[in-house]
Amino acid sequence: MPEGEYAARREARAGGRRSRLDLLVYRSGATDPVAVLELKGASGEHGDQLERYAAWAASLTDVPRLMYCTLDGGTTGAPPTPWQLLSLIDLFATWQNSAHPHAAWLAGEVTTLLRQWDRQADDVIGSATGWYVPDLVTRRIAAALGDDAEALRTKAGNPMLLAYRRLPGDSEAWLGVDLRCEGRDRPKRPWLFRPFVEVSFSDPTAQAQATARRLAVGLHDAMTLATVQRVVKNPDALSANKHGGLAGFRDGAPVFYHDKQVRLATQFRLDVRQVDRHQVAEMIRAVVDHLDTVAAELHLPG
């Protein structure tokens, strides 16, 4: 920005009660901001968050620049127009040239740490030491998989990822893989890798539960460990319990792991000491393609 005096407001409300912007930058004496910064270090966007912020900015007399700040400036996905990407690594690195010795020192420490996290997120997952590296891993896998994947958090606050595809011939049923980190404090601990079928997760009615159960039973052979290991390139990274990933059997019928009884899954342990995020993305693609093919062959509409 041009030289001059600026002020900033953190966590500022703007454009309605639901809108709380990470940083607004103002030229001294002005009432409208000249720049809006939205920081996404580990978490992702929330619904139409960026669109709402952009609409508010467009309503101002002088439209501010909209900056979308991520650790690396792009590997975790590009924001919608008119947001511009900004790398936190590059941002802090510029302060290493500050004439203030304390600012320059702190910028160097921060930049070194962020670059370390950046490298670790592309290395073997189980070798990471950074607390937020698992979030970077799930977000980068989601970005690599495209629109049909989303990085989220579990109720316990651990990173997770959903990769999904609509079941052929049905608008309410989905196939996919649910990937979950089991704890940041133990980076070598296996992650959960869960092939699933899902019906109406946002409206888990008894009918949806029955449909999900019927689909899962029809696909359960395709979702067991022995079958999945045949379709991925690194089968040794996956392991399961004595039931091949099922929770067990009841009266001879398979029992699945589930969320709300409408997302039914088998569950494997993914040895993250053997894989990086690129290999995991490839595994997820292979499993989703496999489930899609089997469902089509079995003519399994919801």
Side-chain angles (χ1 to χ4, degrees), residues 175-225:
L175 307 165
V177 170
D178 174 349
L179 179 70
R180 304 187 185 192
C181 170
E182 284 288 273
R184 309 167 185 277
D185 56 334
R186 295 170 57 190
K188 294 180 174 58
R189 183 176 181 176
W191 288 27
L192 299 183
F193 188 101
R194 296 158 56 112
F196 69 82
V197 295
E198 175 187 307
V199 178
S200 301
F201 190 79
S202 60
D203 186 22
T205 63
Q207 180 180 354
Q209 293 173 347
T211 301
R213 169 74 184 169
R214 177 169 57 82
L215 293 172
V217 169
L219 280 171
H220 91 272
D221 283 336
M223 295 165 61
T224 57
L225 178 66

Side-chain angles (χ1 to χ4, degrees), residues 161 228 241:
L161 175 141
V228 169
N241 59 18

Side-chain angles (χ1 to χ4, degrees), residues 63-111:
V63 178
R65 295 177 62 185
L66 303 181
M67 309 304 299
Y68 183 82
C69 309
T70 66
L71 181 136
D72 56 11
T75 308
T76 50
T81 305
W83 291 90
Q84 301 174 355
L85 277 168
L86 178 63
S87 162
L88 289 176
I89 295 175
D90 293 342
L91 181 61
F92 280 103
T94 62
W95 284 86
Q96 294 180 95
N97 299 320
S98 172
H100 194 296
H102 293 168
W105 168 81
L106 183 57
E109 293 293 303
V110 173
T111 302

Side-chain angles (χ1 to χ4, degrees), residues 197-275:
V197 295
E198 175 187 307
V199 178
S200 301
F201 190 79
S202 60
D203 186 22
T205 63
Q207 180 180 354
Q209 293 173 347
T211 301
R213 169 74 184 169
R214 177 169 57 82
L215 293 172
V217 169
L219 280 171
H220 91 272
D221 283 336
M223 295 165 61
T224 57
L225 178 66
T227 304
V228 169
Q229 283 180 317
R230 289 198 291 269
V231 302
V232 298
K233 290 185 177 180
N234 28 24
D236 292 340
L238 294 174
S239 62
N241 59 18
K242 63 181 180 180
H243 302 298
L246 291 164
F249 290 87
R250 184 179 298 121
D251 299 327
V255 179
F256 298 89
Y257 295 90
H258 73 89
D259 294 278
K260 300 182 181 180
Q261 296 287 353
V262 292
R263 182 183 298 151
L264 303 184
T266 50
Q267 180 169 289
F268 312 139
R269 291 179 295 276
L270 174 63
D271 187 350
V272 290
R273 299 171 301 177
Q274 299 188 41
V275 291

Side-chain angles (χ1 to χ4, degrees), residues 17 21 26 30 60 67 85 87 119 125 166 196 210 261:
R17 295 178 60 186
L21 298 160
Y26 297 82
L60 301 178
M67 309 304 299
L85 277 168
S87 162
R119 291 191 299 269
I125 297 171
R166 196 179 298 279
F196 69 82
Q261 296 287 353

Side-chain angles (χ1 to χ4, degrees), residues 17 25 27 36-37 49 85 103 139 153 202 210 232 266 280 284 290:
R17 295 178 60 186
V25 180
R27 188 181 296 277
V36 174
L37 282 77
Q49 181 184 36
L85 277 168
R139 292 195 69 202
R153 293 267 184 90
S202 60
V232 298
T266 50
V280 174
I284 292 172
H290 159 69

